[in-house]
């Protein structure tokens, strides 16, 4: 009797579903990932046990960096375009459509009105390296108050978040809070880091 | 899906059978999972935390302000270099001013003491000096949150308070 030859076949693994799944997940993560926006000022926020999350939209962020420089930022491109138009009218500065477009893409900025035009005209790389002086907050030249006020006229929904650095002098924070209270804003958020609640 | 179907109209001789072309997908899976793990590890679904604060509305005139009884008042003064002082009562009555700190055994102990906790009307006034840091303010607001103190206010510092602190430092 001849030997029966058993044909051995290599096991074939169909990997198609695995590729499907993998790429489905990859695309999901690629589409949902939002890279952190570029900040023009580094702010080291203090920590607190508060667990309230800041909303994504309709937020004015007033960043107060070291050396007491105040930066203004608001989300929403249309909001920013309308806001710049209003501020331009108020301060008698005119902006080209390109400058308005540039402005609507900024996360935040810290230059007084009279320097804003030249600041927007720079190329993006130069804008990163320039040292922004901060928005004037003194009572004679209260541009921050105008920015906040005009934003609230543009978008009724905005809430205000103060993002202060650990080392900022309280007098600056006090001044910013006073500016808000002058505009009848008595509710705002302080942006903080996580900290675990003590158990005892 | 991975096997490419061969159609028989290839003009080939009868009987010659070709095996279906096999695609090895392993590198593709490798790449896919590499990207996947990268995105999974770099994605943080974190949003910044905030602490809500409501400031008292500025009254139109002085008479609308309700005077606070001395027995229901506690004042915390935030000084420079992370110093912290507190006293009970009103500054004009020359209260005993005590130095404390932000640690768990410092101001937190005071805020959970019966003198504060058993008095529902006790209002804590936080008075930061000009030289104090923003961190101090957030820290003290945090302590009030931890100790569940409901009635508190951020108040501008008065000259009487500054004098008390000066005397305390001078001692």
């Amino acid at each position: 009797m001849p030997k029966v030859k058993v044909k051995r076949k290599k096991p074939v693994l169909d990997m198609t579903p695995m590729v499907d799944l993998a790429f489905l997940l990859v695309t999901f993560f690629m589409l949902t990932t939002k890279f952190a926006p570029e900040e023009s000022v580094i702010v080291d926020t203090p920590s607190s046990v508060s667990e309230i999350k800041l909303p994504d939209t309709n937020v004015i962020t007033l960043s107060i960096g070291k050396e007491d420089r105040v930066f203004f930022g608001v989300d929403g491109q249309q909001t920013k375009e309308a806001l710049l138009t209003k501020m331009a009218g108020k301060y008698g500065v005119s902006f080209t459509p390109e400058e308005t477009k540039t402005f609507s893409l900024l996360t935040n900025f810290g230059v007084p009105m009279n320097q804003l035009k030249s600041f927007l005209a720079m190329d993006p790389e130069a804008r990163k390296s320039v040292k922004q002086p901060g928005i004037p907050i003194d009572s004679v030249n209260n541009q921050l108050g105008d920015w906040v006020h005009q934003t609230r006229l543009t978008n009724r929904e905005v809430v205000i978040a103060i993002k202060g650095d650990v080392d900022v002098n309280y007098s600056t924070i006090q001044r910013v809070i006073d500016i808000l209270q002058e505009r009848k804003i008595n509710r705002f958020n302080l942006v903080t880091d996580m900290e675990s609640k003590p158990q005892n | 899906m991975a096997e490419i179907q061969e159609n028989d109209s290839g003009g080939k001789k009868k009987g010659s059978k070709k095996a279906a072309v096999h695609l090895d997908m392993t590198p593709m899976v490798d790449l896919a999972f590499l990207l996947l793990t990268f995105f999974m590890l770099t994605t943080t679904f974190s949003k910044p935390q905030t602490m809500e604060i409501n400031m008292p509305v500025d009254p139109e005139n002085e008479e609308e302000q309700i005077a606070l009884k001395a027995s229901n008042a506690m004042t915390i003064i935030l000084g420079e270099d992370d110093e912290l002082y507190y006293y009970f009562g009103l500054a004009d009555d020359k209260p005993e001013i005590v130095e404390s700190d932000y640690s768990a055994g410092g101001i937190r102990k005071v805020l959970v003491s019966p003198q504060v906790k058993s008095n529902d009307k006790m209002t804590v006034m936080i008075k930061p000096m000009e030289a104090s840091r923003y961190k101090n303010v957030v820290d003290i607001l945090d302590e009030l949150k931890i100790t569940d103190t409901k009635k508190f206010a951020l108040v501008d510092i008065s000259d009487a308070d500054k004098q008390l602190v000066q005397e305390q430092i001078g001692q």
Side-chain angles (χ1 to χ4, degrees):
Chain A
M1 257 181 95
K3 274 183 186 169
V4 181
K5 269 192 183 170
V6 182
K7 265 198 181 169
R8 284 200 184 273
K9 259 179 89 181
K10 263 194 183 171
V12 178
L13 199 65
D14 187 11
M15 285 210 184
T16 323
M18 194 151 143
V19 177
D20 275 357
L21 175 78
F23 270 99
L24 179 80
L25 287 169
V26 167
T27 43
F28 169 76
F29 277 103
M30 275 169 98
L31 294 173
T32 53
T33 306
K34 262 200 307 202
F35 282 99
E38 277 187 38
E39 295 286 342
S40 44
V41 60
I42 297 161
V43 177
D44 175 20
T45 53
S47 58
S48 82
V49 298
S50 177
E51 285 175 4
I52 308 165
K53 296 268 185 275
L54 193 65
D56 273 342
T57 50
N58 304 329
V59 185
I60 295 178
T61 311
L62 303 176
S63 309
I64 302 150
K66 289 183 172 54
E67 305 157 24
D68 300 352
R69 292 179 300 156
V70 182
F71 290 73
F72 176 94
V74 67
D75 62 281
Q77 286 192 33
Q78 284 90 357
T79 309
K80 274 184 271 197
E81 282 172 19
L83 168 65
L84 190 67
T85 315
K86 281 186 175 157
M87 285 298 281
K90 199 172 165 67
Y91 280 85
V93 191
S94 63
F95 293 101
T96 61
E98 291 81 35
E99 283 164 352
T100 313
K101 181 89 184 108
T102 311
F103 181 79
S104 73
L105 296 173
L106 287 179
T107 318
N108 57 10
F109 66 96
V111 286
M113 262 327 257
N114 55 4
Q115 296 176 27
L116 189 58
K117 197 172 169 68
S118 56
F119 177 71
L120 292 176
M122 289 177 189
D123 55 281
E125 286 305 313
R127 208 177 297 127
K128 271 181 214 148
S129 57
V130 76
K131 188 170 162 63
Q132 303 181 39
I135 297 168
I137 54 171
D138 48 272
S139 47
V140 184
N141 184 10
N142 183 358
Q143 292 185 7
L144 183 73
D146 285 334
W147 280 111
V148 172
H149 187 59
Q150 297 298 333
T151 313
R152 281 168 57 93
L153 290 177
T154 312
N155 180 354
R156 311 286 306 147
E157 311 268 293
V158 285
V159 293
I160 300 196
I162 297 177
K163 189 176 173 183
D165 192 281
V166 174
D167 290 323
V168 173
N169 261 336
Y170 181 70
S171 47
T172 310
I173 304 277
Q174 176 76 50
R175 178 70 196 120
V176 171
I177 290 177
D178 284 349
I179 287 173
L180 295 177
Q181 289 208 281
E182 281 164 21
R183 310 263 175 215
K184 298 270 186 291
I185 304 165
N186 294 307
R187 257 189 102 124
F188 34 82
N189 296 303
L190 304 176
V191 178
T192 53
D193 273 348
M194 269 278 270
E195 185 185 297
S196 55
K197 206 169 180 150
Q199 294 305 309
N200 48 5
Chain B
M1 248 177 94
E3 277 88 358
I4 291 168
Q5 296 293 324
E6 281 242 317
N7 48 359
D8 292 329
S9 59
K12 288 185 183 91
K13 284 178 203 165
K14 281 177 197 169
S16 72
K17 273 189 185 164
K18 245 195 172 181
V21 180
H22 236 70
L23 264 181
D24 186 13
M25 285 212 183
T26 322
M28 192 153 140
V29 177
D30 275 356
L31 177 77
F33 272 99
L34 178 79
L35 285 170
L36 179 63
T37 44
F38 168 76
F39 278 103
M40 275 171 95
L41 292 174
T42 51
T43 308
T44 44
F45 288 103
S46 72
K47 275 194 232 166
Q49 313 258 72
T50 72
M51 183 194 277
E52 280 201 338
I53 178 166
N54 289 329
M55 296 293 284
V57 180
D58 287 334
E60 295 297 319
N61 51 16
E62 289 292 310
E63 290 129 39
E64 282 186 20
Q65 293 214 42
I66 307 153
L68 199 62
K69 270 172 64 184
S71 58
N72 298 334
M74 175 188 175
T75 302
I76 301 175
I77 299 175
L78 314 179
E80 54 190 317
D81 300 331
D82 299 354
E83 284 164 346
L84 185 151
Y85 308 91
Y86 69 92
Y87 63 83
F88 290 97
L90 301 173
D92 305 333
D93 312 340
K94 290 277 170 251
E96 186 197 355
I97 185 161
V98 189
E99 189 168 346
S100 183
D101 54 38
Y102 296 95
S103 69
I107 192 73
R108 195 178 304 169
K109 275 240 165 54
V110 180
L111 288 170
V112 294
S113 68
Q115 192 173 3
V116 181
K117 274 285 165 238
S118 62
N119 185 349
D120 287 339
K121 292 199 179 78
M122 182 61 86
T123 305
V124 178
M125 284 176 287
I126 304 162
K127 301 188 178 178
M129 292 175 84
E130 284 92 350
S132 63
R133 295 194 299 160
Y134 174 62
K135 180 183 193 307
N136 303 150
V137 180
V138 173
D139 279 349
I140 198 70
L141 289 173
D142 212 26
E143 287 299 326
L144 291 167
K145 198 180 166 67
I146 291 167
T147 55
D148 202 24
T149 311
K150 292 274 188 291
K151 295 182 84 161
F152 63 89
L154 261 177
V155 188
D156 295 349
I157 196 154
S158 65
D159 291 337
D161 292 312
K162 284 183 194 167
Q163 231 173 336
L164 282 171
V165 174
Q166 277 302 328
E167 286 165 17
Q168 173 69 20
I169 294 169
Q171 277 169 13

